[in-house]
Amino acid sequence: MSITWADRINAHVANSAFGRWFRLEGSGHPKEREGSRFLTEIRAGLTTWAAMAYIISVNASILADSGGTCVCNNADDPTCATDQDYANCLQEVNRDLITTTAAISALSSFLMGALANLPIGMAPGLGLNAYFTYSVVGFHGTGIISYREALAAVFLEGWIFFILSLLGLRQWLARIMPQSLVMAVGAGIGLYIAFIGLGSGGLGVIGGDTTNLVGLGGCTADNYYEGLSGYCQHGVLQSPTMWLGIFTGGILTVLLMLYRVKGAILIGIFITSIISWPRNSAVTYFPHTESGDLLFDFFKKVVTWHPINQIGNAIDWHYGKGRVWYALITFLYVDILDTTGTLYSMAKFAGLRDPVTLDFENSTIAYCIDAFSISMGALMGTSPVTAFIESATGISEGGKTGITAVTTGLAFFICVFFAPIFASIPSWATGGALVLVGSMMIRNVREINWDYAGDAVPAFLTVIIIPLSYNIAYGVIAGVGSYIAINGIPWIIKRLSGGRIVPTTYDLAEGWTVPPGGLMPYWMKKILGRDTSPYPAGYSNNSEFRLERRDTGHQRSSSVDTASQDIDKHKALEMQEASTLPAVAH
């Protein structure tokens, strides 16, 4: 086989200080990552960006519903739904959020790649932004605390996470959670996101109902009940923008995904948007009105630098309100499950997770970067930043090192200067994307232990209460509370009876043990001179370890297996599954 120009470039880069820092194959680093190539990493990074880029417009659209720093003083219309000055302010907030989302995604992804050397993209998380907007701040600021106070909660959460990460507590807390509950939270958030995508902030298929609370929507504005925006009196499912979003943003996107087209969600969003940009059409995003003229004037700039005027450094630094701490605790808990779970799953997929301790390379650095990015994002006006499972698309393209994430970050940085384009993406273009992302997240229910009621019922309550209450926190509280009650009482009875009285299906219960590896992080063990190897005495670091499950369910145990064929086969199956989707939901 002849040596190509690509081989020469890969070899040259690998043999440089740059290659040794990122542990490319051939760099000579003692822990170089097998199969890593410079040009492959670049391609993987662009693939991850294409799968993630939809978050720029989607995040701005959701967070703008909070009202941002805009003030509504209309006593007759508490949400200022018909106030033109408030609408103009919201447009400015949306543009600010476009810049913020692209900028913080660029910064966090770059740091994750450059410092933690992980092929994982970062951006403001779906689900967390919905909780921030609709449950904490409320639609147009009608929630429990103001937008500025919510940013204060997010900012402090980041620094609390930073301390927990340095001490190793964040990693440990995530690993002690019952697996079924962890999976249920992700699935519930998926339903929550899909419901938002189907509602008035997305496709508009679902609207309000004066009798049943929710019902079919999709009517034009002149068919709403008087004073009830989103409540269709008649003419349901007749909105042309709704059908455009369903076919181009939904069905077309799914077809692209079936044929493994990279960036399918982003393509669907832009096709829908391009069709909506001409002004003289029934689906235009730029009607001939005052607000439409303002939108169109900004759109015509195409490439520009839009500074963060409304939401930059907008934090209310007063932490005296109890509801601020309520929001902070919920952000902490959901983020522990969300970001920590995503990082672990992506590290495993990339072959970087230790199967015994369940930890992964540079985990402390990765969590500290995530925590730092959360606080920096709050200063820029956005909800918590998190790792994206869309990173699986880049990993399936061969991404193994931080070069993948650095490339993703640089691509997001370029997007900062295309704010007029991303700010002109209508809600019916992103609604289909939200539904598809939700459908991907619901896959988590496959990992729930449905064979034992003590695991299944708390998980089900978590899944169903999150979308029905429009609140992630309530679902988490219901799941954890019911889990403790349902499983705690049989445990007490078992202890008191000396193990004689147990549920008949107790052997099907999901096993729960304290994770191996202890609380102390790797860097602290290194300083104290402790043994940092997780492997049993007498085995080398090259020994293969395997995690097994009992035939009856989900209790984990570790055992030595010198034959690596099973592990290689399992990883191949994981790669095949992830590669079937161009964008896996976060």
Side-chain angles (χ1 to χ4, degrees):
M1 183 186 297
S2 60
I3 299 177
T4 65
W5 62 269
D7 294 329
R8 292 189 179 94
I9 292 176
N10 289 330
H12 181 75
V13 174
N15 197 34
S16 65
F18 180 86
R20 284 186 289 275
W21 175 265
F22 288 104
R23 305 181 184 181
L24 292 171
E25 184 177 45
S27 64
H29 193 282
K31 294 184 179 180
E32 64 181 34
R33 295 181 182 172
E34 184 180 355
S36 56
R37 304 283 190 277
F38 174 68
L39 293 180
T40 301
E41 298 289 324
I42 298 295
R43 185 180 73 244
L46 293 175
T47 301
T48 299
W49 169 82
M52 288 178 58
Y54 70 89
I55 192 60
I56 297 176
S57 56
V58 172
N59 186 61
S61 175
I62 291 176
L63 290 181
D65 276 352
S66 71
T69 54
C70 300
V71 179
C72 178
N73 294 319
N74 192 332
D76 298 327
D77 183 11
T79 63
C80 287
T82 59
D83 190 307
Q84 187 58 50
D85 291 335
Y86 190 81
N88 294 339
C89 179
L90 286 181
Q91 289 182 13
E92 186 67 20
V93 167
N94 184 273
R95 294 168 187 173
D96 283 7
L97 286 166
I98 293 289
T99 301
T100 287
T101 305
I104 194 61
S105 300
L107 174 65
S108 55
S109 297
F110 184 89
L111 292 177
M112 183 62 72
L115 301 182
N117 197 21
L118 293 173
I120 299 174
M122 306 279 289
L126 280 174
L128 287 169
N129 57 6
Y131 174 73
F132 179 99
T133 297
Y134 302 110
S135 299
V136 177
V137 181
F139 181 73
H140 289 185
T142 56
I144 58 176
I145 58 177
S146 70
Y147 173 80
R148 296 176 184 273
E149 291 168 336
L151 290 179
V154 174
F155 180 82
L156 185 57
E157 176 214 354
W159 289 113
I160 292 175
F161 264 164
F162 192 88
I163 296 171
L164 292 177
S165 300
L166 280 178
L167 298 177
L169 290 172
R170 183 177 177 184
Q171 301 89 310
W172 191 83
L173 285 172
R175 287 182 282 154
I176 66 171
M177 280 296 300
Q179 186 70 6
S180 288
L181 278 186
V182 173
M183 294 297 102
V185 171
I189 292 174
L191 291 178
Y192 184 25
I193 290 172
F195 189 58
I196 293 171
L198 290 170
S200 58
L203 295 171
V205 175
I206 300 298
D209 189 281
T210 55
T211 303
N212 301 318
L213 300 182
V214 294
L216 285 177
C219 60
T220 54
D222 56 324
N223 288 323
Y224 289 158
Y225 282 99
E226 185 177 355
L228 293 175
S229 178
Y231 286 71
C232 293
Q233 188 172 11
H234 47 75
V236 298
L237 301 182
Q238 293 184 14
S239 169
T241 58
M242 179 199 71
W243 288 110
L244 174 64
I246 289 174
F247 281 105
T248 58
I251 295 175
L252 177 61
T253 302
V254 174
L255 291 173
L256 294 174
M257 292 168 65
L258 289 176
Y259 289 96
R260 301 185 184 181
V261 176
K262 304 302 181 184
I265 290 180
L266 182 65
I267 293 172
I269 288 175
F270 269 106
I271 289 177
T272 308
S273 300
I274 290 170
I275 296 174
S276 302
W277 286 339
R279 301 201 73 177
N280 297 316
S281 72
V283 295
T284 183
Y285 185 59
F286 307 116
H288 291 283
T289 61
E290 181 181 349
S291 60
D293 291 340
L294 289 173
L295 286 171
F296 192 66
D297 289 341
F298 185 65
F299 169 71
K300 289 187 294 185
K301 295 180 180 179
V302 182
V303 179
T304 187
W305 160 248
H306 178 78
I308 306 173
N309 298 315
Q310 297 283 342
I311 61 175
N313 195 24
I315 296 176
D316 183 342
W317 298 102
H318 298 91
Y319 290 96
K321 284 188 177 181
R323 289 180 176 179
V324 174
W325 289 94
Y326 163 79
L328 170 62
I329 292 171
T330 305
F331 280 133
L332 278 169
Y333 186 82
V334 175
D335 242 351
I336 285 176
L337 300 180
D338 191 359
T339 304
T340 309
T342 301
L343 282 171
Y344 271 99
S345 61
M346 289 300 96
K348 178 185 177 184
F349 185 50
L352 304 175
R353 195 175 78 164
D354 190 295
V356 175
T357 65
L358 303 183
D359 210 349
F360 58 90
E361 292 185 29
N362 299 326
S363 63
T364 300
I365 297 175
Y367 287 124
C368 287
I369 291 170
D370 171 60
F372 174 78
S373 300
I374 289 172
S375 293
M376 294 304 101
L379 288 175
M380 298 169 69
T382 190
S383 54
V385 175
T386 183
F388 264 59
I389 288 187
E390 279 83 354
S391 304
T393 59
I395 294 173
S396 66
E397 283 289 310
K400 297 178 181 293
T401 73
I403 298 175
T404 296
V406 168
T407 303
T408 301
L410 293 176
F412 271 117
F413 177 72
I414 294 173
C415 293
V416 170
F417 302 99
F418 288 87
I421 300 298
F422 286 100
S424 301
I425 295 176
S427 61
W428 55 88
T430 58
L434 290 173
V435 175
L436 293 178
V437 169
S439 72
M440 297 172 196
M441 294 183 71
I442 197 65
R443 297 190 313 166
N444 285 350
V445 298
R446 297 183 305 180
E447 302 297 323
I448 294 174
N449 179 21
W450 297 109
D451 298 325
Y452 181 66
D455 296 322
V457 172
F460 175 76
L461 290 174
T462 301
V463 171
I464 197 66
I465 289 178
I466 287 176
L468 292 184
S469 66
Y470 238 60
N471 195 306
I472 297 173
Y474 294 159
V476 171
I477 292 170
V480 173
S482 60
Y483 184 90
I484 293 173
I486 294 173
N487 292 283
I489 294 173
W491 180 81
I492 293 173
I493 294 175
K494 179 184 176 182
R495 293 297 296 266
L496 293 176
S497 66
R500 293 187 298 273
I501 303 176
V502 295
T504 55
T505 57
Y506 197 66
D507 60 334
L508 299 178
E510 183 176 74
W512 183 89
T513 57
V514 177
L519 282 170
M520 191 176 296
Y522 174 85
W523 66 269
M524 195 176 294
K525 292 180 181 179
K526 196 77 173 176
I527 292 176
L528 297 177
R530 301 279 185 87
D531 179 19
T532 58
S533 173
Y535 302 99
Y539 290 95
S540 68
N541 288 342
N542 293 324
S543 299
E544 297 286 354
F545 283 73
R546 183 179 64 195
L547 292 180
E548 298 177 339
R549 285 184 173 180
R550 297 182 303 179
D551 293 339
T552 55
H554 305 261
Q555 182 173 6
R556 296 175 179 177
S557 61
S558 59
S559 63
V560 180
D561 188 346
T562 56
S564 62
Q565 294 180 356
D566 289 344
I567 296 175
D568 294 337
K569 180 179 179 181
H570 180 64
K571 181 173 176 59
L573 289 173
E574 283 184 327
M575 293 282 284
Q576 182 181 3
E577 180 182 6
S579 63
T580 60
L581 293 176
V584 183
H586 168 262

